[in-house]
Amino acid sequence: MTIGQLPWQDILAQARWLADRGGAPVPDGATGLEGLAVIGPAEILAVSRHMSRDGGGILMSSGGTTGRPKLTFVSYHQAHDRLLRQWRPLAPGNLMLNLFTPGRMWASHYYMQALAEHSRCDIIPAGPHSPAEIVDWIPMWNEVGVDAVCGTPTALADLARGVLDSGLVLPLKKLIWMAEPWTDDKEKTVRAAFPDIGFWGNYGSVETYVMATNTPACDLSVLHLMPDQVIEPDDAGALLSRRGTGWTVPTVRYRLGDRVAAAECRCGRPDALRVLGRADDAIKLHGALVGIGEALSVVRAQPGVRDAQLVLTRGAESRHSVRQLTVHFTGDADPGAVQERLLREFYDLGVIAQHHPDAITTERVAALGRVERTNKIPPMLWREAARP
């Protein structure tokens, strides 16, 4: 069951066009999507490099938070003609604060700059701020009339926390988010600071750019696939196919890094989807398979936990082999109660704790670790084992 629909002949024509420009060969006799090759970062790089020869592009890199970085040449137009036909959060007269981190080959900051340009509104290329810095900036932002903001949920929650701590008012009306999921604590903090704000989300990657969007009329975690695309859900990573021109990269059966499922949305629009998490979400702890997202959901459900992150010490068996799992969390919960809940909810972890008492630990911390390049809080951080 796919999300979205495309005529087979259109997909086949797109696959043949891509094959001549660095994409995968098209097998003779292919009669459906399942008969075409699954492609990855190598084909995206080859096709995007070919497409940049005439009009130029920006060499960007995705990944690096939980996986190996992937390179893509992004067309200067950044597919905004397609995007703004379906999703237009900004209008002339808006002034948006851009909290995405610039540089380091990360696309989000430059995508937002281009979105403002194509929307014919104003933008401040600020980058992220710590909560303690916000009080010094609010008077200027109010003076010039900032009424919109964009960033990761982490950066947006930092902004909201700074506004709340300052006791001042920043009357934002529009918020654009992407690049990581919301947690309950971050959403509550943002809504407390900006009670009249509307959430506008989009889902994509550097390789594909925007695939799906939502509006304030939607459920926060549900997005809608843009036209001329189809997604095949797959536990190993959903597969994206497109037709037509105007994309940053046209693609057929590109393997995304996320698991995606069909969904329903309160707005009633079709082709709704929900991002379930990374396809490489599981780790192996002393022989037991543990889902990172599932473990974090249990920890975050404990009263007094604001947010959580796993710190993993590598084992020797394989890339995802772990010999020690430490739960870091913020909030005022008791570490013992958090650990007890985790071991109770996951039978295998309880057994491991009995045989390896030091394999699973829980610590309350002042702040969770971040990726410097993107200012995101990743679900897990790797820590190398101490040398004997």
Side-chain angles (χ1 to χ4, degrees):
M1 187 69 166
T2 62
I3 303 170
Q5 298 290 330
L6 289 180
W8 163 242
Q9 290 302 321
D10 290 3
I11 295 175
L12 182 61
Q14 188 77 88
R16 288 171 173 162
W17 186 90
L18 290 168
D20 293 335
R21 293 160 176 81
V26 178
D28 293 335
T31 58
L33 274 169
E34 66 282 353
L36 299 176
V38 174
I39 67 169
E43 288 85 1
I44 290 289
L45 177 57
V47 171
S48 66
R49 184 193 293 270
H50 185 280
M51 293 181 63
S52 73
R53 287 177 183 169
D54 293 333
I58 313 167
L59 182 60
M60 294 291 189
S61 170
S62 71
T65 299
T66 60
R68 182 178 179 180
K70 299 178 281 289
L71 298 175
T72 306
F73 285 86
V74 178
S75 304
Y76 288 125
H77 60 72
Q78 298 183 57
H80 278 94
D81 285 346
R82 274 191 173 272
L83 176 66
L84 291 175
R85 289 199 296 266
Q86 309 298 324
W87 185 77
R88 189 177 284 269
L90 301 172
N94 286 139
L95 174 53
M96 183 165 69
L97 184 64
N98 183 356
L99 297 181
F100 284 104
T101 306
R104 303 295 182 90
M105 298 177 69
W106 194 40
S108 297
H109 183 90
Y110 307 98
Y111 160 45
M112 286 295 111
Q113 294 294 120
L115 176 64
E117 179 183 358
H118 284 78
S119 301
R120 302 180 67 82
C121 70
D122 300 313
I123 189 167
I124 301 175
H129 292 280
S130 70
E133 296 176 297
I134 300 302
V135 65
D136 296 326
W137 287 96
I138 292 175
M140 184 273 284
W141 291 337
N142 279 325
E143 180 182 348
V144 297
V146 170
D147 61 355
V149 65
C150 63
T152 64
T154 295
L156 294 164
D158 282 348
L159 173 69
R161 173 49 53 197
V163 170
L164 292 172
D165 290 347
S166 74
L168 302 175
V169 174
L170 184 63
L172 300 181
K173 302 298 184 184
K174 300 177 180 181
L175 175 156
I176 299 174
W177 67 273
M178 60 183 176
E180 63 180 354
W182 286 95
T183 63
D184 289 343
D185 181 72
K186 290 174 184 175
E187 182 188 353
K188 289 176 183 176
T189 301
V190 169
R191 292 192 187 279
F194 313 117
D196 298 324
I197 207 161
F199 284 63
W200 297 77
N202 52 186
Y203 168 59
S205 68
V206 175
E207 310 94 89
T208 65
Y209 255 57
V210 182
M211 296 176 277
T213 63
N214 70 12
T215 74
C218 299
D219 299 303
L220 185 58
S221 63
V222 176
L223 302 106
H224 297 267
L225 191 67
M226 289 171 58
D228 291 336
Q229 300 180 114
V230 63
I231 283 182
E232 303 167 74
D234 191 299
D235 285 342
L239 304 170
L240 174 73
S241 298
R242 290 169 162 168
R243 69 173 178 183
T245 59
W247 301 104
T248 55
V249 177
T251 184
V252 173
R253 302 202 88 197
Y254 173 64
R255 175 81 72 187
L256 304 173
D258 297 316
R259 292 179 295 114
V260 174
E264 293 184 357
C265 185
R266 68 187 184 197
C267 76
R269 290 188 293 139
D271 298 334
L273 61 90
R274 196 184 301 273
V275 181
L276 303 180
R278 300 293 297 174
D280 58 355
D281 181 59
I283 56 171
K284 186 171 286 188
L285 178 68
H286 292 279
L289 206 61
V290 180
I292 295 168
E294 291 178 296
L296 289 175
S297 293
V298 168
V299 172
R300 288 173 180 145
Q302 177 69 18
V305 171
R306 292 180 56 193
D307 202 357
Q309 181 179 62
L310 303 186
V311 180
L312 310 172
T313 302
R314 294 188 187 276
E317 292 81 7
S318 66
R319 177 171 174 260
H320 293 289
S321 174
V322 175
R323 77 174 194 179
Q324 185 178 48
L325 182 157
T326 300
V327 178
H328 282 181
F329 71 91
T330 55
D332 57 8
D334 175 64
V338 174
Q339 181 157 333
E340 180 182 349
R341 180 172 190 147
L342 185 65
L343 300 185
R344 184 175 66 248
E345 293 286 341
F346 292 91
Y347 173 80
D348 287 345
L349 294 185
V351 173
I352 291 169
Q354 291 178 6
H355 292 87
H356 305 277
D358 296 331
I360 304 167
T361 59
T362 308
E363 298 177 14
R364 183 172 54 236
V365 297
L368 301 178
R370 300 193 182 195
V371 178
E372 181 181 356
R373 175 173 171 254
T374 61
N375 195 43
K376 292 192 286 187
I377 296 176
M380 61 179 181
L381 294 173
W382 287 99
R383 179 167 59 193
E384 297 300 329
R387 294 184 181 275

PDB file of all heavy atoms in Angstrom, residues 265-282:
ATOM      1  N   CYS A 265      -5.543  12.760   9.023  1.00  0.00           N
ATOM      2  CA  CYS A 265      -5.319  14.080   9.617  1.00  0.00           C
ATOM      3  C   CYS A 265      -6.656  14.765   9.868  1.00  0.00           C
ATOM      4  O   CYS A 265      -7.605  14.598   9.089  1.00  0.00           O
ATOM      5  CB  CYS A 265      -4.452  14.939   8.687  1.00  0.00           C
ATOM      6  SG  CYS A 265      -3.984  16.551   9.374  1.00  0.00           S
ATOM      7  N   ARG A 266      -6.713  15.543  10.924  1.00  0.00           N
ATOM      8  CA  ARG A 266      -7.950  16.236  11.267  1.00  0.00           C
ATOM      9  C   ARG A 266      -8.386  17.213  10.194  1.00  0.00           C
ATOM     10  O   ARG A 266      -9.569  17.580  10.109  1.00  0.00           O
ATOM     11  CB  ARG A 266      -7.783  16.976  12.594  1.00  0.00           C
ATOM     12  CG  ARG A 266      -6.820  18.140  12.556  1.00  0.00           C
ATOM     13  CD  ARG A 266      -6.572  18.726  13.935  1.00  0.00           C
ATOM     14  NE  ARG A 266      -5.713  19.907  13.857  1.00  0.00           N
ATOM     15  CZ  ARG A 266      -5.086  20.422  14.899  1.00  0.00           C
ATOM     16  NH1 ARG A 266      -5.216  19.866  16.089  1.00  0.00           N
ATOM     17  NH2 ARG A 266      -4.343  21.502  14.755  1.00  0.00           N
ATOM     18  N   CYS A 267      -7.444  17.645   9.317  1.00  0.00           N
ATOM     19  CA  CYS A 267      -7.813  18.594   8.262  1.00  0.00           C
ATOM     20  C   CYS A 267      -8.570  17.920   7.127  1.00  0.00           C
ATOM     21  O   CYS A 267      -9.214  18.597   6.322  1.00  0.00           O
ATOM     22  CB  CYS A 267      -6.569  19.286   7.713  1.00  0.00           C
ATOM     23  SG  CYS A 267      -5.575  18.268   6.589  1.00  0.00           S
ATOM     24  N   GLY A 268      -8.485  16.587   7.040  1.00  0.00           N
ATOM     25  CA  GLY A 268      -9.224  15.848   6.028  1.00  0.00           C
ATOM     26  C   GLY A 268      -8.554  15.729   4.685  1.00  0.00           C
ATOM     27  O   GLY A 268      -9.084  15.083   3.770  1.00  0.00           O
ATOM     28  N   ARG A 269      -7.375  16.344   4.508  1.00  0.00           N
ATOM     29  CA  ARG A 269      -6.695  16.258   3.220  1.00  0.00           C
ATOM     30  C   ARG A 269      -6.102  14.875   3.010  1.00  0.00           C
ATOM     31  O   ARG A 269      -5.757  14.181   3.974  1.00  0.00           O
ATOM     32  CB  ARG A 269      -5.614  17.327   3.120  1.00  0.00           C
ATOM     33  CG  ARG A 269      -6.156  18.734   2.994  1.00  0.00           C
ATOM     34  CD  ARG A 269      -5.045  19.732   2.697  1.00  0.00           C
ATOM     35  NE  ARG A 269      -4.132  19.877   3.815  1.00  0.00           N
ATOM     36  CZ  ARG A 269      -2.815  19.973   3.703  1.00  0.00           C
ATOM     37  NH1 ARG A 269      -2.240  19.883   2.510  1.00  0.00           N
ATOM     38  NH2 ARG A 269      -2.057  20.139   4.768  1.00  0.00           N
ATOM     39  N   PRO A 270      -5.918  14.462   1.739  1.00  0.00           N
ATOM     40  CA  PRO A 270      -5.424  13.108   1.465  1.00  0.00           C
ATOM     41  C   PRO A 270      -3.905  13.003   1.585  1.00  0.00           C
ATOM     42  O   PRO A 270      -3.206  13.984   1.842  1.00  0.00           O
ATOM     43  CB  PRO A 270      -5.859  12.880   0.015  1.00  0.00           C
ATOM     44  CG  PRO A 270      -5.844  14.259  -0.592  1.00  0.00           C
ATOM     45  CD  PRO A 270      -6.302  15.175   0.510  1.00  0.00           C
ATOM     46  N   ASP A 271      -3.407  11.770   1.368  1.00  0.00           N
ATOM     47  CA  ASP A 271      -1.973  11.466   1.324  1.00  0.00           C
ATOM     48  C   ASP A 271      -1.256  11.911   2.590  1.00  0.00           C
ATOM     49  O   ASP A 271      -0.163  12.477   2.552  1.00  0.00           O
ATOM     50  CB  ASP A 271      -1.320  12.100   0.094  1.00  0.00           C
ATOM     51  CG  ASP A 271      -1.892  11.574  -1.211  1.00  0.00           C
ATOM     52  OD1 ASP A 271      -2.389  10.434  -1.211  1.00  0.00           O
ATOM     53  OD2 ASP A 271      -1.856  12.295  -2.219  1.00  0.00           O
ATOM     54  N   ALA A 272      -1.888  11.648   3.725  1.00  0.00           N
ATOM     55  CA  ALA A 272      -1.292  11.988   5.014  1.00  0.00           C
ATOM     56  C   ALA A 272      -0.316  10.905   5.441  1.00  0.00           C
ATOM     57  O   ALA A 272      -0.515   9.716   5.162  1.00  0.00           O
ATOM     58  CB  ALA A 272      -2.374  12.176   6.071  1.00  0.00           C
ATOM     59  N   LEU A 273       0.717  11.306   6.138  1.00  0.00           N
ATOM     60  CA  LEU A 273       1.725  10.349   6.594  1.00  0.00           C
ATOM     61  C   LEU A 273       2.249  10.763   7.955  1.00  0.00           C
ATOM     62  O   LEU A 273       2.129  11.907   8.374  1.00  0.00           O
ATOM     63  CB  LEU A 273       2.877  10.245   5.582  1.00  0.00           C
ATOM     64  CG  LEU A 273       3.686  11.517   5.279  1.00  0.00           C
ATOM     65  CD1 LEU A 273       4.878  11.657   6.236  1.00  0.00           C
ATOM     66  CD2 LEU A 273       4.197  11.497   3.836  1.00  0.00           C
ATOM     67  N   ARG A 274       2.849   9.795   8.619  1.00  0.00           N
ATOM     68  CA  ARG A 274       3.489  10.028   9.906  1.00  0.00           C
ATOM     69  C   ARG A 274       4.890   9.417   9.851  1.00  0.00           C
ATOM     70  O   ARG A 274       5.061   8.279   9.378  1.00  0.00           O
ATOM     71  CB  ARG A 274       2.676   9.392  11.031  1.00  0.00           C
ATOM     72  CG  ARG A 274       3.037   9.877  12.427  1.00  0.00           C
ATOM     73  CD  ARG A 274       2.237   9.122  13.484  1.00  0.00           C
ATOM     74  NE  ARG A 274       0.805   9.273  13.316  1.00  0.00           N
ATOM     75  CZ  ARG A 274       0.088  10.263  13.827  1.00  0.00           C
ATOM     76  NH1 ARG A 274       0.689  11.210  14.525  1.00  0.00           N
ATOM     77  NH2 ARG A 274      -1.217  10.316  13.640  1.00  0.00           N
ATOM     78  N   VAL A 275       5.887  10.153  10.303  1.00  0.00           N
ATOM     79  CA  VAL A 275       7.259   9.641  10.356  1.00  0.00           C
ATOM     80  C   VAL A 275       7.424   8.908  11.679  1.00  0.00           C
ATOM     81  O   VAL A 275       7.303   9.503  12.757  1.00  0.00           O
ATOM     82  CB  VAL A 275       8.286  10.785  10.233  1.00  0.00           C
ATOM     83  CG1 VAL A 275       9.704  10.222  10.264  1.00  0.00           C
ATOM     84  CG2 VAL A 275       8.057  11.568   8.936  1.00  0.00           C
ATOM     85  N   LEU A 276       7.700   7.608  11.600  1.00  0.00           N
ATOM     86  CA  LEU A 276       7.745   6.769  12.792  1.00  0.00           C
ATOM     87  C   LEU A 276       9.097   6.796  13.486  1.00  0.00           C
ATOM     88  O   LEU A 276       9.197   6.464  14.664  1.00  0.00           O
ATOM     89  CB  LEU A 276       7.402   5.317  12.420  1.00  0.00           C
ATOM     90  CG  LEU A 276       6.054   5.109  11.732  1.00  0.00           C
ATOM     91  CD1 LEU A 276       5.863   3.633  11.425  1.00  0.00           C
ATOM     92  CD2 LEU A 276       4.918   5.633  12.585  1.00  0.00           C
ATOM     93  N   GLY A 277      10.134   7.163  12.766  1.00  0.00           N
ATOM     94  CA  GLY A 277      11.478   7.163  13.350  1.00  0.00           C
ATOM     95  C   GLY A 277      12.492   6.665  12.349  1.00  0.00           C
ATOM     96  O   GLY A 277      12.161   6.313  11.215  1.00  0.00           O
ATOM     97  N   ARG A 278      13.728   6.627  12.767  1.00  0.00           N
ATOM     98  CA  ARG A 278      14.800   6.193  11.890  1.00  0.00           C
ATOM     99  C   ARG A 278      14.703   4.690  11.617  1.00  0.00           C
ATOM    100  O   ARG A 278      14.313   3.908  12.477  1.00  0.00           O
ATOM    101  CB  ARG A 278      16.153   6.505  12.509  1.00  0.00           C
ATOM    102  CG  ARG A 278      16.402   7.972  12.774  1.00  0.00           C
ATOM    103  CD  ARG A 278      16.497   8.758  11.486  1.00  0.00           C
ATOM    104  NE  ARG A 278      17.618   8.339  10.662  1.00  0.00           N
ATOM    105  CZ  ARG A 278      17.840   8.797   9.420  1.00  0.00           C
ATOM    106  NH1 ARG A 278      17.003   9.669   8.878  1.00  0.00           N
ATOM    107  NH2 ARG A 278      18.882   8.379   8.724  1.00  0.00           N
ATOM    108  N   ALA A 279      15.089   4.304  10.415  1.00  0.00           N
ATOM    109  CA  ALA A 279      15.062   2.894  10.059  1.00  0.00           C
ATOM    110  C   ALA A 279      16.127   2.106  10.814  1.00  0.00           C
ATOM    111  O   ALA A 279      15.973   0.907  11.042  1.00  0.00           O
ATOM    112  CB  ALA A 279      15.258   2.731   8.550  1.00  0.00           C
ATOM    113  N   ASP A 280      17.225   2.767  11.195  1.00  0.00           N
ATOM    114  CA  ASP A 280      18.297   2.100  11.942  1.00  0.00           C
ATOM    115  C   ASP A 280      18.178   2.386  13.434  1.00  0.00           C
ATOM    116  O   ASP A 280      19.167   2.580  14.129  1.00  0.00           O
ATOM    117  CB  ASP A 280      19.669   2.530  11.425  1.00  0.00           C
ATOM    118  CG  ASP A 280      19.882   4.043  11.499  1.00  0.00           C
ATOM    119  OD1 ASP A 280      18.928   4.760  11.860  1.00  0.00           O
ATOM    120  OD2 ASP A 280      21.000   4.502  11.208  1.00  0.00           O
ATOM    121  N   ASP A 281      16.940   2.358  13.923  1.00  0.00           N
ATOM    122  CA  ASP A 281      16.631   2.767  15.286  1.00  0.00           C
ATOM    123  C   ASP A 281      17.090   1.758  16.341  1.00  0.00           C
ATOM    124  O   ASP A 281      17.271   2.110  17.496  1.00  0.00           O
ATOM    125  CB  ASP A 281      15.118   2.966  15.384  1.00  0.00           C
ATOM    126  CG  ASP A 281      14.659   3.427  16.755  1.00  0.00           C
ATOM    127  OD1 ASP A 281      15.112   4.488  17.215  1.00  0.00           O
ATOM    128  OD2 ASP A 281      13.847   2.721  17.363  1.00  0.00           O
ATOM    129  N   ALA A 282      17.292   0.506  15.971  1.00  0.00           N
ATOM    130  CA  ALA A 282      17.542  -0.539  16.949  1.00  0.00           C
ATOM    131  C   ALA A 282      19.027  -0.692  17.264  1.00  0.00           C
ATOM    132  O   ALA A 282      19.886  -0.521  16.397  1.00  0.00           O
ATOM    133  CB  ALA A 282      16.983  -1.868  16.458  1.00  0.00           C
TER     134      ALA A 282
END
